[in-house]
Amino acid sequence: MEHPLAGTLARLAGPLPQWPVRLGPPDGPGWRPYPELLAEGAVESLLAEVDAALRGGPALASQTLVGRVAGPVVGILAAALFAERRLPVLEPEQIAFRFSPAGPAAPPAMALDDVRMLVLPGDPAADHPGVTVTPGVDHLQGALITQAHRLFAPFVEVVSRIGRRGRRALWQGLADRIAIGFLQAGKHAGVVDQARAEADATLAGATVRSLRLTIDWLEVEHAGRTELFKRKSVCCLNYRSVAHLDEYCATCPLVPRERSAERLHALLATRGPAG
């Protein structure tokens, strides 16, 4: 019997192509179980690889590494919650990563194995083994936040200590990834306003303070349409990297909102009438 999450992940491949994920045990060489990445020696090695690629110092390496490892997981959880009203329930040993030949500075592939799931009443998967029915969307939202913190608190702790990047910055970067999961799924389904409202409800009222976030949304008019973006809650430090030297991201909180809007409008103009 196919796991009901398989269809969910297949459908999320459209809105989230930047976070490739497979369901089932890792297949082939190069996969690294997530618990292996929690060891100090592993983190030191990964941070050194990221810094060698970006050459922007330990803080940039730390922010990037947490975004690469934890970011796809929390983003996919948020997208699955919004798009399918399903929340995968993960343990560390059920997660594995395969970094690209470019190293851990680039987005990795991810594998999830033996996953349990929370669903709402009436979900077709409600009777499937490993599936638990939960009363409402607010319960799924709360479970998303507590799970994100439970899974990645050890990783954030060791990366922060070794890489000398503040915990708050690392956690706020992950809160941004949760918001992106909602937003991308909402854009793909054509229900951006609903995704915006649910991202706000999930993060503004988060029971875990480190993931609590008031999202800075930015609406940009282009070709008769309004496109929704979110400004980052914390600088990702990419301006320090050799690829983006001295250039802040368009959605960086260090860029004035008016300048963000101008740059995003210019970006939309390069995509043509379809936006």
Side-chain angles (χ1 to χ4, degrees):
M1 180 187 302
E2 183 180 63
H3 196 292
L5 185 58
T8 294
L9 293 177
R11 289 183 287 274
L12 291 179
L16 301 174
Q18 75 275 29
W19 293 331
V21 57
R22 56 166 288 147
L23 187 63
D27 182 22
W31 288 97
R32 301 182 65 176
Y34 168 55
E36 175 186 303
L37 306 186
L38 299 176
E40 288 196 7
V43 170
E44 289 174 349
S45 176
L46 289 168
L47 286 173
E49 289 186 65
V50 174
D51 193 34
L54 302 182
R55 287 182 280 170
L60 168 60
S62 298
Q63 196 76 41
T64 301
L65 182 61
V66 170
R68 293 301 189 221
V69 171
V73 179
V74 299
I76 286 169
L77 292 178
L81 188 163
F82 178 76
E84 306 258 318
R85 298 311 191 204
R86 293 173 168 181
L87 181 69
V89 179
L90 305 172
E91 299 300 329
E93 60 271 15
Q94 296 168 331
I95 308 170
F97 298 94
R98 182 165 62 187
F99 295 105
S100 81
M110 180 170 61
L112 307 177
D113 187 29
D114 195 24
V115 179
R116 295 180 293 119
M117 196 162 62
L118 295 178
V119 302
L120 296 182
D123 190 295
D127 295 330
H128 192 280
V131 172
T132 301
V133 176
T134 193
V137 172
D138 57 334
H139 289 79
L140 294 178
Q141 293 169 346
L144 165 63
I145 294 298
T146 56
Q147 179 176 197
H149 186 264
R150 172 178 59 82
L151 285 173
F152 294 111
F155 191 64
V156 167
E157 179 67 27
V158 69
V159 171
S160 175
R161 178 162 39 82
I162 294 175
R164 301 192 299 278
R165 178 66 165 163
R167 296 175 186 83
R168 182 182 182 280
L170 298 177
W171 279 118
Q172 291 290 279
L174 288 186
D176 283 340
R177 299 302 180 100
I178 292 173
I180 289 170
F182 279 102
L183 180 59
Q184 292 298 98
K187 285 186 174 183
H188 188 75
V191 287
V192 173
D193 288 344
Q194 183 181 343
R196 173 179 181 167
E198 290 202 22
D200 284 335
T202 301
L203 291 165
T207 55
V208 178
R209 176 171 293 187
S210 54
L211 285 169
R212 196 174 300 161
L213 176 66
T214 300
I215 304 171
D216 186 4
W217 299 107
L218 189 61
E219 296 180 347
V220 179
E221 300 287 339
H222 173 69
R225 297 174 54 186
T226 300
E227 291 283 343
L228 183 66
F229 296 87
K230 68 164 296 300
R231 280 163 47 93
K232 295 178 180 179
S233 62
V234 64
C235 179
C236 66
L237 305 178
N238 274 344
Y239 72 91
R240 298 182 182 180
S241 76
V242 292
H244 304 281
L245 195 59
D246 296 328
E247 181 180 357
Y248 294 111
C249 302
T251 55
C252 181
L254 301 181
V255 174
R257 296 186 90 254
E258 296 78 9
R259 178 58 180 153
S260 284
E262 291 172 1
R263 289 180 59 183
L264 292 168
H265 185 276
L267 174 63
L268 291 172
T270 66
R271 297 178 181 174

